[in-house]
């Protein structure tokens, strides 16, 4: 190891507090320090290359140092790096808003920018609640969400997406939410056939949502696949049914496409698979091709127009952040959407999605300790268990998922698990050979760890 590595390691261990990280383990370990990127690879400061198997936390789309995105950001830096969107505007913010509306599900007409997935969700929840206050249905203040949902780590997004392990210390800060059980045959409807679980889940949603309809402002859903829960997929029929129940009961339908948006599921937005338009759409992560923190909350004209009025009525949406709509992020977003078109990213993904499906079934599912594989597009969860038949989990202290990712890292692939679910989320533009390498390495790593 170079002396530069040793110095940075010492400083990291002395000064940095990493997110979602047990720092006691971290400080006893050798950190992987990434210095640069090349296409779908990350390069550490010792020169070792790693395939970026989780798109740098699910956001990279076209690879690292993509010429078109680099140039767009550099051109914007030569104009201005940041100017506020509060009371002023700028070209990339305006042009990206137009572009987002042109690709979003029909009916969404306005773009409210923020910075991260969680902030896009906070804005959505506040818009929904304020909308009903302005519309005169002042009792509609509650939010409904799905069990096992994850919508971010700020207090509002934690409330709607509660996970015991992550959020138990903050329970008293959270607001109460109406929870629906999604049709997961391994969790809520154990042992049931998928069709029966779907029926039960829809019936339950119907009863609970209709039962509280006068108190509910909105239902928030991760469409088609609940990512951080461990890639829990649900069929398009469930999404369609939820949308329809909300429409009938006049409950706003919020789609959180922070993870699924920008091509991840094989369509630009996951809602498209079900032919569904939400009232509010949250996007982040892939919006800038994975380059810069930017997010957006899109709303229908009906919602937007409820906020209009004389200044003295104070109906405005009094909400925003310093870097809301940052011009560099917007320039990256515009460049990324151009690459989607010019390089036919969505079309070129389709054979990769099929290849992945076939490999999961033939190569991964037969492994002794793989109990399930779940996939929507290039979003994959591979669930490991100590006992395949009974689905008995590994004891937590064995940290099997973590061991698999360390093994993969030794072999030149970066992935990140969710407990004992191994996640694969390669950049959408990943090459065929690179995808094969990713799958081969992850498969060998699972075998090496679980058969040890
Ligand atoms: N919503 C969903 C569906 C997510 O998957 C995530 C992050 N994984 C978030 C919200 C929060 O996004 P961020 O980390 O950018 O705040």
């Amino acid at each position: 190891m170079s002396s530069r590595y040793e110095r940075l390691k010492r400083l990291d261990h002395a000064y940095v507090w990493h997110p979602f990280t047990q720092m006691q383990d971290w400080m006893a370990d050798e950190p992987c320090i990434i210095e640069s990127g090349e296409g779908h690879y990350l390069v550490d400061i010792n020169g070792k290359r790693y395939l970026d198997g989780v798109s740098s936390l699910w956001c990279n789309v076209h690879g690292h140092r993509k010429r078109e995105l680099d140039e767009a950001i550099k051109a914007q830096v030569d104009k201005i790096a940041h100017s506020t969107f509060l009371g002023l505007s700028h070209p990339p913010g305006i042009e990206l808003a137009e572009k987002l509306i042109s690709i979003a599900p029909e009916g969404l007409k306005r773009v409210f920018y923020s910075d991260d997935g969680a902030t896009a969700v906070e804005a959505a929840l506040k818009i929904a609640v304020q909308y009903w206050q302005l519309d005169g249905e002042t009792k509609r203040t509650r939010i409904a969400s799905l069990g096992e949902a994850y919508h971010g780590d700020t207090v509002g997004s934690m409330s709607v997406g509660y996970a015991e392990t992550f959020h138990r210390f903050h329970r008293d800060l959270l607001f109460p939410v109406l929870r629906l059980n999604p049709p997961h045959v391994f969790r809520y409807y154990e042992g049931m056939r998928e069709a029966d679980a779907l029926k039960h889940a829809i019936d339950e949603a119907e009863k609970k949502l209709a039962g509280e309809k006068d108190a509910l402002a909105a239902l928030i859903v991760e469409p088609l696949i609940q990512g951080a829960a461990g890639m829990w997929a649900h069929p398009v029929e469930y999404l369609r049914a939820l949308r329809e129940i909300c429409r009938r009961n006049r409950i706003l339908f919020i789609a959180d496409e922070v993870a699924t948006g920008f091509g991840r599921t094989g369509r630009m937005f996951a809602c498209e698979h079900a032919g569904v338009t939400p009232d509010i759409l949250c996007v982040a992560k892939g919006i800038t091709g994975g380059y810069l923190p930017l997010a957006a909350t899109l709303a229908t004209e009906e919602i937007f127009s409820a906020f209009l009025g004389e200044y003295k009525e104070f109906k405005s949406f009094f909400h925003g952040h310093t870097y809301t709509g940052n011009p560099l992020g917007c320039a990256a977003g515009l460049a990324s959407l151009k690459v989607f078109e010019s390089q036919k990213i969505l079309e070129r993904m389709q054979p990769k999605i099929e290849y992945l499906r076939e490999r999961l079934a033939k190569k991964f599912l037969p492994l002794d300790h793989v109990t399930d594989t779940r996939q929507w597009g290039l979003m994959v969860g591979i669930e490991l268990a100590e006992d395949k038949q009974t689905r008995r989990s590994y004891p937590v202290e064995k940290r099997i998922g973590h061991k698999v990712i360390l093994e993969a890292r030794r072999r030149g692939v970066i992935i990140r698990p969710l407990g004992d679910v191994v996640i694969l989320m390669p950049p959408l533009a990943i090459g065929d050979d690179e995808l094969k390498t990713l799958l081969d390495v992850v498969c060998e790593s699972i075998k090496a760890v679980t058969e040890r």
Side-chain angles (χ1 to χ4, degrees):
M1 296 288 172
S2 65
S3 59
R4 185 161 164 255
Y5 175 80
E6 291 302 333
R7 181 178 153 270
L8 286 169
K9 175 176 119 179
R10 186 169 42 77
L11 296 178
D12 182 299
H13 284 173
Y15 294 113
V16 182
W17 191 344
H18 288 269
F20 276 96
T21 301
Q22 177 41 260
M23 291 302 291
Q24 184 173 303
D25 295 340
W26 176 269
M27 290 185 297
D29 214 342
E30 299 288 314
C32 176
I33 304 176
I34 300 298
E35 173 120 280
S36 61
E38 287 170 17
H40 309 116
Y41 283 84
L42 302 165
V43 186
D44 75 15
I45 67 163
N46 297 308
K48 182 165 176 180
R49 286 158 55 84
Y50 308 88
L51 197 48
D52 186 356
V54 281
S55 299
S56 297
L57 211 63
W58 312 2
C59 64
N60 191 277
V61 178
H62 310 293
H64 301 281
R65 288 177 46 218
K66 180 80 180 163
R67 185 180 50 78
E68 292 84 341
L69 273 72
D70 291 2
E71 284 174 1
I73 293 170
K74 286 177 190 161
Q76 184 58 41
V77 166
D78 283 340
K79 293 179 185 143
I80 189 166
H82 184 65
S83 156
T84 181
F85 228 48
L86 279 68
L88 295 174
S89 201
H90 52 68
I94 298 167
E95 284 164 8
L96 180 62
E98 183 209 19
K99 193 76 201 152
L100 289 173
I101 293 303
S102 76
I103 60 167
E106 187 72 35
L108 294 163
K109 295 285 184 227
R110 292 282 169 172
V111 176
F112 186 90
Y113 289 114
S114 59
D115 319 308
D116 285 285
T119 57
V121 168
E122 294 289 341
L125 301 175
K126 285 178 66 178
I127 288 172
V129 170
Q130 186 170 338
Y131 168 77
W132 289 114
Q133 299 294 306
L134 296 172
D135 199 59
E137 292 202 43
T138 53
K139 292 212 177 91
R140 286 186 181 267
T141 54
R142 287 197 80 194
I143 308 287
S145 68
L146 301 189
E148 304 283 327
Y150 178 82
H151 296 287
D153 295 325
T154 52
V155 173
S157 61
M158 276 196 292
S159 301
V160 288
Y162 186 77
E164 181 67 16
T165 320
F166 298 164
H167 302 144
R168 67 199 164 105
F169 297 113
H170 311 107
R171 199 184 291 135
D172 288 352
L173 294 181
L174 309 182
F175 55 76
V177 161
L178 177 69
R179 301 244 185 244
L180 308 178
N181 291 331
H184 299 159
V185 282
F186 298 130
R187 193 76 49 108
Y188 299 109
Y189 301 99
E190 250 174 282
M192 245 187 220
R193 288 187 320 129
E194 286 191 1
D196 294 335
L198 176 64
K199 189 175 172 315
H200 271 82
I202 294 175
D203 287 349
E204 190 222 35
E206 179 82 56
K207 272 197 207 91
K208 283 192 175 169
L209 293 172
E212 295 227 25
K213 67 176 194 296
D214 297 329
L216 283 170
L219 166 69
I220 182 164
V221 172
E222 289 163 86
L224 299 186
I225 183 155
Q226 296 181 264
M231 298 298 157
W232 286 101
H234 55 244
V236 288
E237 290 78 10
Y238 185 59
L239 189 62
R240 257 184 228 135
L242 292 179
R243 205 312 157 225
E244 194 39 44
I245 297 166
C246 284
R247 196 189 313 280
R248 260 188 277 120
N249 294 289
R250 304 186 63 239
I251 298 161
L252 296 179
F253 185 77
I254 304 173
D256 174 355
E257 294 233 23
V258 168
T260 52
F262 300 98
R264 195 36 77 183
T265 64
R267 304 284 291 265
M268 192 52 99
F269 296 103
C271 283
E272 292 174 31
H273 292 279
V276 153
T277 291
D279 298 296
I280 300 177
L281 175 73
C282 304
V283 291
K285 290 193 187 278
I287 187 172
T288 60
Y291 264 58
L292 287 159
L294 182 78
T297 304
L298 278 58
T300 60
E301 196 65 20
E302 186 183 344
I303 293 175
F304 170 76
S305 57
F307 289 67
L308 302 178
E310 298 288 327
Y311 180 76
K312 63 182 181 209
E313 295 175 85
F314 295 115
K315 287 177 161 186
S316 314
F317 187 39
F318 291 106
H319 181 101
H321 305 278
T322 308
Y323 287 102
T324 284
N326 170 260
L328 294 175
C330 292
L334 276 167
S336 170
L337 290 175
K338 271 195 200 133
V339 173
F340 260 104
E341 279 170 27
S342 63
Q343 299 185 13
K344 300 196 182 342
I345 299 297
L346 293 176
E347 287 95 311
R348 285 170 48 206
M349 271 178 82
Q350 305 310 319
K352 288 180 249 182
I353 295 172
E354 284 317 309
Y355 173 71
L356 196 46
R357 194 180 320 283
E358 190 251 345
R359 293 281 82 189
L360 287 173
K362 291 216 176 114
K363 215 171 142 88
F364 286 84
L365 211 45
L367 296 181
D368 287 346
H369 294 277
V370 170
T371 50
D372 192 24
T373 60
R374 301 181 279 271
Q375 177 196 10
W376 257 110
L378 292 186
M379 261 177 116
V380 171
I382 301 162
E383 184 157 338
L384 308 177
E386 191 159 49
D387 186 309
K388 183 166 176 138
Q389 264 61 49
T390 61
R391 293 181 66 87
R392 189 185 68 242
S393 313
Y394 283 100
V396 175
E397 57 279 10
K398 279 203 170 170
R399 302 200 66 197
I400 288 295
H402 183 67
K403 286 186 183 137
V404 169
I405 72 139
L406 292 184
E407 186 66 35
R409 191 178 304 175
R410 268 193 288 279
R411 296 162 187 246
V413 163
I414 298 272
I415 47 174
R416 208 185 134 77
L418 287 163
D420 288 345
V421 181
V422 176
I423 304 299
L424 305 183
M425 278 267 211
L428 304 192
I430 191 168
D432 296 346
D433 289 350
E434 292 167 336
L435 185 56
K436 181 172 181 314
T437 303
L438 171 67
L439 295 175
D440 287 349
V441 168
V442 172
C443 190
E444 290 309 314
S445 303
I446 291 175
K447 277 199 224 162
V449 170
T450 58
E451 292 170 12
R452 199 168 271 160

